[in-house]
Amino acid sequence: TQAKALDLQTVGEDDAFTPKSKKNEFLNIEPHFGTRFWCHSIKKETMNIWEKAALPSLPPPSSLLQLPPVNPFIPKVFDLKPLPADDSNHPLLNCSMKLCISVGKRKAWFPATVTKYNGLNNEILLSYEDEDEKWHKVDVLPSDWVGMTVAPNFESTLDNKAIKYKVVALALQGEGAVLKYGDESDFDVEDGAQFPAIPPAQSESRLPQLICNTQALKLWHLQDRKFHRPIAELRLRMTCADANKTPLESACADLFVTLFGDTITETTYLASVCELGSSI
């Protein structure tokens, strides 16, 4: 059934809220459950205080409410260090292609994969099916690649037009080299007639480099080529000869780790907001 509209009676501003018999003339009854209630108007002075409190403003110095501290872990510089000129990015990098190479008096097509680009000499390093590697000069200048789209069946030349090539497959964003040699298929692999191509070995420039090795610090560096994000991992080891000498000292060492973790909770929280994790 439709709810019956309530004819509410309101107590005046000067009348206090009270359910005593003196104020029963202002009694209201809720129609569904019979709940008794009274309506009391809020004084204008109180409304003014509430409206003023609702305005945006900083808390006074005497207040216990304060703005959170500035998070020192929020990054401000997003520039990435450029890749080395002799091992930089290129539209053909990690592509699988076929090359038309002269063998004696005839020409034959050879599959290969682009594994490296030298920006200083405008050359690409090709890894062939027999695991042989060779540098080739790219005829297209670096500035001419701007606005050019590389897709399967893209054709161009190498070594001053001595070699013609055609792109067979492209690497997905963030993925490594596409090793697509010949007409291999999953059926050949399942039948044992053919195995997938073996990825070429990584060059030394693509492996972590030891840039500092002392008694206090051992630091490795590897530039991220997949996600293009600066990622660091720091591990500290504190050695205490007597940490496990007796059960009491072992318990004290565990207690120290717990207390230390509790002490740095505020700092580690600010770091976790920036997706920086830590553990002790």
Side-chain angles (χ1 to χ4, degrees), residues 136-154:
H136 294 274
K137 183 79 172 181
V138 181
D139 292 340
V140 180
L141 297 177
S143 58
D144 295 338
W145 288 100
V146 179
M148 187 180 300
T149 302
V150 178
N153 298 323
F154 173 84

Side-chain angles (χ1 to χ4, degrees), residues 46-215:
T46 304
M47 292 297 300
N48 292 335
I49 295 175
W50 288 357
E51 291 176 356
K52 185 178 179 180
L55 297 176
S57 61
L58 295 176
S62 59
S63 174
L64 297 178
L65 297 177
Q66 300 292 335
L67 292 175
V70 177
N71 194 335
F73 299 101
I74 297 178
K76 299 179 180 179
V77 180
F78 297 92
D79 298 335
L80 296 178
K81 182 180 178 181
L83 295 173
D86 59 348
D87 189 9
S88 55
N89 284 327
H90 192 273
L92 294 176
L93 188 63
N94 297 328
C95 290
S96 179
M97 59 176 60
K98 288 184 177 181
L99 295 91
C100 185
I101 302 176
S102 299
V103 180
K105 296 183 179 181
R106 64 182 184 88
K107 293 184 178 181
W109 289 90
F110 294 89
T113 300
V114 183
T115 59
K116 194 174 181 180
Y117 172 70
N118 188 333
L120 298 176
N121 302 328
N122 194 26
E123 295 179 342
I124 57 175
L125 180 63
L126 295 181
S127 175
Y128 291 89
E129 190 173 10
D130 58 359
E131 299 184 6
D132 186 23
E133 293 185 334
K134 186 178 180 180
W135 287 96
H136 294 274
K137 183 79 172 181
V138 181
D139 292 340
V140 180
L141 297 177
S143 58
D144 295 338
W145 288 100
V146 179
M148 187 180 300
T149 302
V150 178
N153 298 323
F154 173 84
E155 296 183 2
S156 188
T157 57
L158 302 172
D159 298 337
N160 296 324
K161 299 183 179 181
I163 299 177
K164 178 182 178 181
Y165 71 86
K166 180 169 64 174
V167 175
V168 177
L170 301 176
L172 298 177
Q173 183 68 27
E175 297 297 330
V178 177
L179 303 176
K180 192 171 183 180
Y181 297 138
D183 297 324
E184 59 199 27
S185 64
D186 293 338
F187 298 103
D188 293 332
V189 175
E190 293 176 359
D191 295 339
Q194 186 173 336
F195 292 95
I198 300 176
Q202 293 283 355
S203 60
E204 292 188 2
S205 61
R206 303 287 183 89
L207 299 177
Q209 303 294 321
L210 182 61
I211 59 178
C212 181
N213 188 10
T214 64
Q215 292 183 351

Side-chain angles (χ1 to χ4, degrees), residues 173-273:
Q173 183 68 27
E175 297 297 330
V178 177
L179 303 176
K180 192 171 183 180
Y181 297 138
D183 297 324
E184 59 199 27
S185 64
D186 293 338
F187 298 103
D188 293 332
V189 175
E190 293 176 359
D191 295 339
Q194 186 173 336
F195 292 95
I198 300 176
Q202 293 283 355
S203 60
E204 292 188 2
S205 61
R206 303 287 183 89
L207 299 177
Q209 303 294 321
L210 182 61
I211 59 178
C212 181
N213 188 10
T214 64
Q215 292 183 351
L217 177 64
K218 192 172 186 179
L219 182 62
W220 296 81
H221 174 262
L222 175 64
Q223 195 161 8
D224 180 28
R225 294 173 176 267
K226 186 173 183 179
F227 300 105
H228 304 288
R229 295 178 59 189
I231 300 175
E233 181 178 352
L234 178 62
R235 297 185 181 184
L236 299 177
R237 182 176 63 180
M238 295 180 291
T239 303
C240 181
D242 297 333
N244 295 316
K245 188 176 182 180
T246 63
L248 175 61
E249 291 171 329
S250 178
C252 290
D254 292 340
L255 181 60
F256 168 76
V257 172
T258 302
L259 293 176
F260 179 75
D262 183 69
T263 303
I264 63 174
T265 298
E266 293 185 3
T267 303
T268 54
Y269 170 75
L270 296 177
S272 65
V273 172

